[in-house]
């Protein structure tokens, strides 16, 4: 009966969407692999709500979350094929479409979240958006914020790069991210984010790296007692729209779409700041050892990674990026 009820519910939703779409000037399909609370979900749901509020009946929005249409890699294929219109992406997912986005895997590229935000709101963000449009025909609507990444594990405190030696760390599938942790002495292991908790429990991996908000959302602190505030990488949320779909919008709708995306930026940045402000103490109260590592030592150890990533994005591009964000 549950399956029948679910099927009827899906049918009713589809009918409602098609009815709304019939009278709307614009139909838009949104998708994300995460669930409520995750920064990527917050980015997309804020965009949805603000656009619906401003455009009203002029737009009919279909919202698919929880990976119902697949993970980020699957969604990347769907958006390029025009099967979905808008998705949020982490930098490693975008890098698979445009190698210039591998620059975000450069450890300590930004000195702070504030510097990263200013760069993305300025010339650097414009350059990255133009590159993605040229290389993948995706329109960047805005750069939200996933946050700064920290390292957590079940083996020991991580104070210096030497403490990473031999640790099996889950990282995104980005080759440059995995190369960075190999350089630092860890053993990077690719694993879908939804499988990380069980992987930690079963000993398949020793740890992982993500913003504090993601550790909280997936309850990863329950499976590992050590968090090190390395803040080694800043990860934006790149909210993208199929290029042809964006071009087909009226000028007024384009303006509303961009404004709704900017609302997502502001919301995710607030979420990031609030999470960073409260979660350290929350984790410590829960019995997690939260360590402030030797950042200078990590910066020095990661310097060779910058040179290797420059080969991927081209040395000239790396030089120009460094100039734009200083």
């Amino acid at each position: 009966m549950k399956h029948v009820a679910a099927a009827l519910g899906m049918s009713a939703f589809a009918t409602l969407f098609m009815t709304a779409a019939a009278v709307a000037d614009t139909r838009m399909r949104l998708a994300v692999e995460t669930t409520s609370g995750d920064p990527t979900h917050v980015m997309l749901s804020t965009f949805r709500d603000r656009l619906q509020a401003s455009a009203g009946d002029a737009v009919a929005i279909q919202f698919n979350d929880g990976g119902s249409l697949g993970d980020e890699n699957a969604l990347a294929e769907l958006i390029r094929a025009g099967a979905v219109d808008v998705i949020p992406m982490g930098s490693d997912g975008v890098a698979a479409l445009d190698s210039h986005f591998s620059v975000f895997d450069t450890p300590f590229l930004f000195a702070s979240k504030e510097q990263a935000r200013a760069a993305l709101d300025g010339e650097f963000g414009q350059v990255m958006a133009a590159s993605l449009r040229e290389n993948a025909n995706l329109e960047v609507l805005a750069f939200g914020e996933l946050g700064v990444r920290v390292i957590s594990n079940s083996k020991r405190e991580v104070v210096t790069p030497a403490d990473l030696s031999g640790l099996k760390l889950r990282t995104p599938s980005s080759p440059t991210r995995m190369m960075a942790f190999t350089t630092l002495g860890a053993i990077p292991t690719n694993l879908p984010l939804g499988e990380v908790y069980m992987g930690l429990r079963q000993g398949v991996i020793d740890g992982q790296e993500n913003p504090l908000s993601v550790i909280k959302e997936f309850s990863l602190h329950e499976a590992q007692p050590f968090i090190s505030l390395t803040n080694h990488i800043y990860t934006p949320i790149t909210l993208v729209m199929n290029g042809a779909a964006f071009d087909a919008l009226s000028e007024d709708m384009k303006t509303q779409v961009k404004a709704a995306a900017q609302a997502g930026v502001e919301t995710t940045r607030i979420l990031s700041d609030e999470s960073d402000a409260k979660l350290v103490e929350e984790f410590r109260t829960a019995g997690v050892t939260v360590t402030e590592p030797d950042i200078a030592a990590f910066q020095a150890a990661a310097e060779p990674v910058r040179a290797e990533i420059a080969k991927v994005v081209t040395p000239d591009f790396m030089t120009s990026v460094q100039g734009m964000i200083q």
Side-chain angles (χ1 to χ4, degrees):
M1 287 298 294
K2 289 183 178 180
H3 293 297
V4 172
L8 290 173
M10 288 292 289
S11 176
F13 175 81
T15 300
L16 180 64
F17 175 71
M18 292 303 294
T19 300
V23 299
D25 295 326
T26 302
R27 289 176 289 176
M28 200 169 292
R29 293 151 294 186
L30 282 54
V32 62
E33 70 170 314
T34 54
T35 55
S36 179
D38 183 87
T40 55
H41 192 283
V42 170
M43 181 81 182
L44 192 64
S45 59
T46 301
F47 168 79
R48 172 200 62 195
D49 295 344
R50 294 300 179 91
L51 182 60
Q52 194 72 76
S54 67
D57 293 339
V59 61
I61 299 176
Q62 181 177 354
F63 190 84
N64 299 93
D65 63 354
S68 59
L69 297 183
D71 62 13
E72 185 174 270
N73 292 330
L75 294 181
E77 294 181 7
L78 290 175
I79 194 170
R80 297 191 72 193
V84 298
D85 297 306
V86 180
I87 65 171
M89 303 186 74
S91 56
D92 53 299
V94 190
L97 304 176
D98 180 357
S99 62
H100 282 157
F101 277 75
S102 294
V103 74
F104 287 108
D105 283 341
T106 307
F108 308 105
L109 179 66
F110 302 104
S112 65
K113 288 195 293 186
E114 290 70 29
Q115 185 189 50
R117 293 168 181 175
L120 288 167
D121 290 344
E123 182 185 7
F124 174 61
Q126 295 170 8
V127 167
M128 298 305 295
S131 180
L132 189 60
R133 187 63 193 257
E134 179 180 352
N135 288 292
N137 195 28
L138 295 179
E139 178 73 15
V140 174
L141 301 181
F143 290 104
E145 183 165 297
L146 191 63
V148 289
R149 305 177 85 94
V150 302
I151 297 170
S152 59
N153 81 99
S154 58
K155 296 294 186 181
R156 54 183 174 265
E157 286 190 72
V158 172
V159 180
T160 70
D163 296 322
L164 290 176
S165 180
L167 285 182
K168 293 179 291 184
L169 287 184
R170 181 270 176 186
T171 70
S173 58
S174 165
T176 42
R177 184 79 57 83
M178 298 181 79
M179 177 269 292
F181 278 98
T182 298
T183 301
L184 292 172
I187 303 172
T189 304
N190 182 236
L191 196 68
L193 185 56
E195 299 177 18
V196 171
Y197 182 89
M198 190 58 66
L200 289 164
R201 287 294 192 194
Q202 296 177 344
V204 175
I205 53 175
D206 300 318
Q208 59 85 55
E209 51 96 43
N210 256 308
L212 291 173
S213 59
V214 177
I215 293 176
K216 171 66 176 179
E217 182 206 350
F218 286 90
S219 302
L220 302 182
H221 59 291
E222 297 177 0
Q224 47 191 346
F226 302 106
I227 293 177
S228 181
L229 302 177
T230 48
N231 297 340
H232 52 282
I233 285 174
Y234 174 93
T235 301
I237 300 170
T238 306
L239 187 67
V240 297
M241 184 169 185
N242 176 276
F246 180 80
D247 291 343
L249 298 176
S250 67
E251 291 304 312
D252 178 61
M253 185 60 72
K254 287 178 181 177
T255 299
Q256 294 189 65
V257 163
K258 292 280 188 173
Q262 192 58 40
V265 174
E266 295 165 2
T267 302
T268 55
R269 288 177 179 178
I270 291 171
L271 174 64
S272 176
D273 287 343
E274 290 178 345
S275 296
D276 288 351
K278 72 178 182 180
L279 287 179
V280 169
E281 187 58 35
E282 182 176 323
F283 290 150
R284 283 177 172 155
T285 300
V288 177
T289 299
V290 182
T291 302
E292 295 186 7
D294 184 345
I295 297 298
F298 273 94
Q299 290 173 325
E303 194 58 34
V305 179
R306 186 181 296 262
E308 290 302 312
I309 292 180
K311 295 177 183 178
V312 175
V313 303
T314 75
D316 287 345
F317 186 77
M318 177 65 83
T319 299
S320 68
V321 167
Q322 291 173 326
M324 285 185 281
I325 66 177
Q326 290 177 354

